[in-house]
Amino acid sequence: MEKSRRYAKSHEWARLEDDGSVTVGISAYAVEALTDLVFMQLPDVGATVTAGESFGEIESVKAVSDLYAPISGTVVAANTDLPSQLETLGSDPYGSGWVVRVQPDSVEQLEALMDQEAYDKLIGGE
Amino acid sequence: MNLSGSSKSSPNKKQRIGFSVWRDPPASGGWNMAADEAIARRSEETNSVLMRLYGWHPHTVSLGSFQRYVDFSETPELSHWPVVRRPSGGGAIIHGTDLTYGLAVPGSHDWSRGTEKLYAAVHGALVEELSERHLSAYMVEAPGRETEQNFYCFNRRAFGDLVVEHAAAGSSHGNHKILGSAQRRLSGVVLQHGSLLLHRNPHIQGVGSHLGLGDVLPAGSGSVNEVVDGWLQRLADRLHGELIAETGPSYVKENKDIITRTERYESTAWLQRR
């Protein structure tokens, strides 16, 4: 399995790590579109997440949005510094702005997500 | 997250989209939130724009989705008020002398893209209507961040908030926010909540007390109801839609889905989740 970022249509990204876990975050495009983030709710470590279903929420000044899990699995880590440092999502969305790490039910799920080229096409059409 | 709606196809632009509006009777906070969620799901299923207008009985405080419950419970002037938490964001609203709307726009519609188009459409339509009636109104463009976090919605100034310029005996001269809105972006549909203050609420004093449309509308400019009718028609025009004034409520009281959703909104777990 290639260890580059994959993307969900709902703008969350997922990256397979060396230990078999998958890091999940929010794409730079989505962070910019949300604008002025004020609050974020993360899942607890140990929570199970299901692909396509909400695993957290994020609030900008004018809208509350769900975060949708790009894959199914169990949350093994959550970036608990993030809610108090939401600017990190904008400054480093693919690094220190990561949201959760998930132990996936199967890594093959990543193949169902978009690669960078497909995602660029998606956001180019929005 | 839903930034741009679903993959359903967009309606033919030459085809006028239906824009159904219900004027529902006043109801409790939990029921109102549940009924809004229900029209959001119906909007997604029918690929149509739906709107509820409603009041509140009893008068109720609604909190934004992420506001802290303790900020409500430790506000002495609110201690005897019923309270509900909205699924949408923003600040606390004291409902009772306002007209609340829930507007559901399916993900296929252009208005669901980003957050600003829907605010601009709804609030801009009312700015036009008020200007026609000689009341100076505008939408906030670039607010200071400090006011965005004020406990009360109507003390905040965020992008798109509708503000009127008014000076009257017994009220402060200046700019008064009379319409504020906030969104919940669900999968495949956007639900926008908004509160149009109609009159100052006599049951609240101090920083939670605000002028309403009826308090600032110039004499001879028509009634509040006429303003609302004009606003809706302008909104339909912007939508290139056909305004359908539905008769009766948007729900049946025995609707099990709404009853279940109401129970969730009335639960302590939801109300005090933060």
Side-chain angles (χ1 to χ4, degrees), chain B:
Chain B
M1 65 218 69
N2 169 24
L3 296 177
S4 56
S6 70
S7 57
K8 285 182 183 173
S9 60
S10 300
N12 184 328
K13 287 185 177 176
K14 290 180 181 175
Q15 182 185 344
R16 286 172 73 80
I17 188 170
F19 173 41
S20 293
V21 179
W22 288 268
R23 292 173 186 255
D24 284 343
S28 70
W31 183 273
N32 275 333
M33 295 303 95
D36 281 341
E37 218 176 304
I39 67 157
R41 288 302 165 212
R42 202 194 305 181
S43 168
E44 181 189 8
E45 289 161 12
T46 61
N47 208 25
S48 55
V49 179
L50 308 176
M51 188 179 199
R52 290 179 67 228
L53 299 172
Y54 55 91
W56 301 66
H57 180 76
H59 289 201
T60 299
V61 176
S62 74
L63 303 178
S65 182
F66 282 123
Q67 284 194 285
R68 297 190 313 162
Y69 178 76
V70 69
D71 290 339
F72 160 79
S73 62
E74 293 186 355
T75 301
E77 64 265 28
L78 299 179
S79 60
H80 62 288
W81 286 73
V83 60
V84 69
R85 184 182 293 279
R86 303 187 304 268
S88 53
I93 298 174
I94 298 170
H95 299 281
T97 59
D98 67 324
L99 179 69
T100 306
Y101 75 82
L103 175 64
V105 178
S108 60
H109 195 278
D110 188 50
W111 283 2
S112 75
R113 299 166 77 90
T115 57
E116 298 183 358
K117 284 186 178 178
L118 196 46
Y119 289 106
V122 175
H123 291 207
L126 186 55
V127 167
E128 279 182 8
E129 183 65 22
L130 294 176
S131 299
E132 187 83 6
R133 294 172 186 272
H134 312 294
L135 181 60
S136 178
Y138 62 92
M139 288 165 57
V140 173
E141 290 182 359
R145 196 163 181 82
E146 189 178 329
T147 66
E148 293 166 3
Q149 297 307 313
N150 194 292
F151 176 69
Y152 288 109
C153 165
F154 285 94
N155 287 341
R156 299 182 180 197
R157 295 291 183 272
F159 167 82
D161 286 340
L162 195 155
V163 170
V164 297
E165 294 176 351
H166 176 72
S171 71
S172 59
H173 175 84
N175 305 323
H176 303 271
K177 177 176 170 181
I178 62 166
L179 174 64
S181 300
Q183 296 175 359
R184 177 75 194 206
R185 305 186 70 82
L186 301 162
S187 175
V189 63
V190 177
L191 173 65
Q192 181 165 302
H193 273 149
S195 172
L196 172 63
L197 286 180
L198 300 181
H199 300 283
R200 188 190 289 278
N201 193 318
H203 303 297
I204 192 78
Q205 308 296 325
V207 295
S209 176
H210 300 94
L211 290 175
L213 175 59
D215 303 316
V216 299
L217 201 56
S221 297
S223 68
V224 165
N225 284 338
E226 288 169 338
V227 172
V228 171
D229 288 344
W231 172 38
L232 294 176
Q233 187 55 60
R234 289 178 189 275
L235 187 55
D237 293 343
R238 285 175 175 235
L239 187 63
H240 304 294
E242 181 182 355
L243 179 61
I244 303 167
E246 301 283 356
T247 56
S250 64
Y251 48 75
V252 291
K253 284 188 175 177
E254 296 77 16
N255 185 306
K256 286 184 181 173
D257 178 51
I258 298 181
I259 291 171
T260 302
R261 292 179 194 272
T262 300
E263 288 169 353
R264 174 175 173 262
Y265 279 111
E266 290 178 345
S267 69
T268 303
W270 171 256
L271 180 61
Q272 299 185 21
R273 73 170 190 153
R274 183 159 189 255

Side-chain angles (χ1 to χ4, degrees), chain A residues 9-12 26 29-30 33-41 54 57-68 125-126, chain B residues 1-4 7 65-66 87-90 113 115-116 119 145 148-149 158-159 161 180-187 273-274:
Chain A
K9 285 182 182 173
S10 48
H11 304 286
E12 293 81 11
I26 305 169
Y29 170 82
L34 287 169
T35 69
D36 294 335
L37 301 174
V38 294
F39 193 78
M40 184 176 206
Q41 185 177 53
S54 174
E57 296 175 349
I58 191 162
E59 180 178 22
S60 63
V61 169
K62 284 311 225 174
V64 176
S65 302
D66 286 293
L67 302 173
Y68 295 105
E126 291 194 348
Chain B
M1 65 218 69
N2 169 24
L3 296 177
S4 56
S7 57
S65 182
F66 282 123
S88 53
R113 299 166 77 90
T115 57
E116 298 183 358
Y119 289 106
R145 196 163 181 82
E148 293 166 3
Q149 297 307 313
F159 167 82
D161 286 340
S181 300
Q183 296 175 359
R184 177 75 194 206
R185 305 186 70 82
L186 301 162
S187 175
R273 73 170 190 153
R274 183 159 189 255

